[in-house]
Amino acid sequence: MSSITGLPFDDIRALLRSMPGPDTQARHDARHRQEELTKPSGSLGRLEEIAEWMAAWQGRAPTVDRPVVCVFAGNHGVAARGVSAFPVSVTQAMVENFAAGGAAINQICATYDLGLKVFDLALDVPTGDISREAAFSERDCAATMAFGMECLAGEPDLLCIGEMGIGNTAVAAAIFAALFGGTAADWVGAGTGHDAAGLQRKAAIVQEALDLHAGHLSDPLEVLRRLGGREIAASVGAILAARMQRVPVIVDGFTVTAAAAVLHALDPTALDHCLFGHVSAERGHQAALQRMNKVPLLALGMRLGEGTGAALAAGIVKAAVACHSGMATFSQAGVANRD
């Protein structure tokens, strides 16, 4: 990402000011087709809304021919303080598991015919311990966002965003507290499986981070660079790039929602091209979705990450588009329209 001003975040703000809106004509055409299909008006419920939403953001009759799940993997310095029940070595091990086809996300992608890309974001160089310093510099944060934008290189027509990173639910909780208010205890959850003592320790460390950076958290991008992580910054970049290229997005769980929340805090319309795949079992996710007025597609009690919730929701989006494009109209089927 080249900067005209020399301040990397200014480039991000410029993109936000130039975001395209929905194609109202494409939405109108999709809605008109819905009324002609062999079903009572509105009888497919939210599936109809999804098809119209896809049309509005793709700017044409909706299709899902090149869906992809992008999983961003990063490590966090704060993980060394015990905010997770697992060591940071698990992040690398899981990236290798993705490559070998052995993870849950591999099975879901295979089931729904979704592409899968996994991005190793300098796993051997964790971000700074947010309880003692900023996660990274403005330049490094912006560069990571720019790297995340590269996930659109294959020109997908539906982008699902997931993550992998030991310690990242602590980081996400810190971001939510900074953006939406409250204490660390209001947002911190069990993550990978803390017991009560571990949960208390995790909340205390997140609160240390919030106290350390207090007074510098009025700017959402500053929240991201001080409290975030590489997988979160890359997710912010991916969501923004998808908007610029008119690619609909499905956001995964707690951690990717924290990335989305940064954009929402900058401009509430910045997520209009996004669906939220599911509400996770992680404490605070439902509250965050409510703060952004977002209704998830699924509620399955999941908290795995990896993009699994987004990938499952992609199956619903594919079905919505298939019904929209493949169903016969009343005239084609020779069925009398009751209207």
Side-chain angles (χ1 to χ4, degrees):
M1 180 185 300
S2 62
S3 176
I4 296 172
T5 65
L7 297 174
F9 283 162
D10 285 354
D11 297 321
I12 302 300
R13 298 184 208 282
L15 287 176
L16 285 161
R17 289 193 295 270
S18 61
M19 291 185 300
D23 187 319
T24 55
Q25 184 60 52
R27 186 192 296 273
H28 171 80
D29 292 345
R31 186 165 297 165
H32 176 73
R33 175 169 173 78
Q34 293 281 13
E35 297 302 318
E36 297 297 317
L37 299 178
T38 47
K39 59 177 180 57
S41 178
S43 60
L44 284 178
R46 199 168 176 191
L47 292 186
E48 298 185 21
E49 297 173 12
I50 290 170
E52 293 170 15
W53 170 81
M54 287 284 290
W57 288 106
Q58 292 182 331
R60 52 176 168 76
T63 59
V64 185
D65 296 325
R66 298 183 308 280
V68 66
V69 178
C70 289
V71 179
F72 297 108
N75 272 327
H76 303 265
V78 74
R81 298 201 61 195
V83 296
S84 173
F86 291 91
V88 294
S89 59
V90 171
T91 306
Q92 181 64 55
M94 283 304 302
V95 168
E96 295 170 2
N97 194 28
F98 298 147
I105 188 59
N106 298 98
Q107 318 320 314
I108 297 171
C109 285
T111 299
Y112 290 110
D113 195 20
L114 310 173
L116 175 62
K117 296 180 181 179
V118 181
F119 296 84
D120 175 337
L121 302 175
L123 294 181
D124 56 339
V125 185
T127 49
D129 176 352
I130 63 170
S131 68
R132 294 170 176 166
E133 61 181 324
F136 34 29
S137 69
E138 179 173 335
R139 185 167 299 279
D140 288 345
C141 184
T144 305
M145 294 168 73
F147 185 84
M149 294 177 179
E150 294 299 318
C151 76
L152 275 296
E155 299 185 354
D157 51 17
L158 179 66
L159 175 65
C160 303
I161 303 178
E163 48 63 39
M164 176 63 211
I166 294 301
N168 65 13
T169 59
V171 168
I175 290 173
F176 286 132
L179 295 177
F180 296 140
T183 67
D186 295 325
W187 296 98
V188 165
T192 49
H194 271 306
D195 57 16
L199 185 61
Q200 186 175 13
R201 180 175 62 253
K202 179 179 178 181
I205 294 168
V206 171
Q207 190 61 53
E208 284 182 38
L210 293 169
D211 293 342
L212 175 68
H213 300 286
H216 302 281
L217 302 178
S218 59
D219 178 355
L221 290 176
E222 192 69 3
V223 170
L224 176 64
R225 87 153 188 97
R226 286 177 175 269
L227 300 176
R230 290 193 181 94
E231 73 274 56
I232 297 176
S235 296
V236 173
I239 294 170
L240 184 54
R243 176 61 167 266
M244 304 308 293
Q245 297 183 35
R246 307 190 65 86
V247 178
V249 171
I250 305 179
V251 174
D252 194 43
F254 188 73
T255 301
V256 182
T257 298
V262 171
L263 287 169
H264 183 271
L266 288 162
D267 182 344
T269 70
L271 302 181
D272 288 355
H273 67 304
C274 297
L275 290 176
F276 286 74
H278 75 131
V279 57
S280 79
E282 183 69 4
R283 179 178 178 179
H285 194 205
Q286 180 66 61
L289 293 172
Q290 289 173 343
R291 296 292 185 95
M292 296 185 290
N293 197 30
K294 302 299 181 181
V295 180
L297 286 179
L298 299 169
L300 300 175
M302 297 168 60
R303 54 181 176 84
L304 177 61
E306 302 180 6
T308 50
L312 284 168
I316 294 175
V317 172
K318 290 184 72 173
V321 169
C323 288
H324 181 82
S325 61
M327 285 179 66
T329 64
F330 284 105
S331 60
Q332 289 171 332
V335 176
N337 187 335
R338 64 184 179 85
D339 294 328

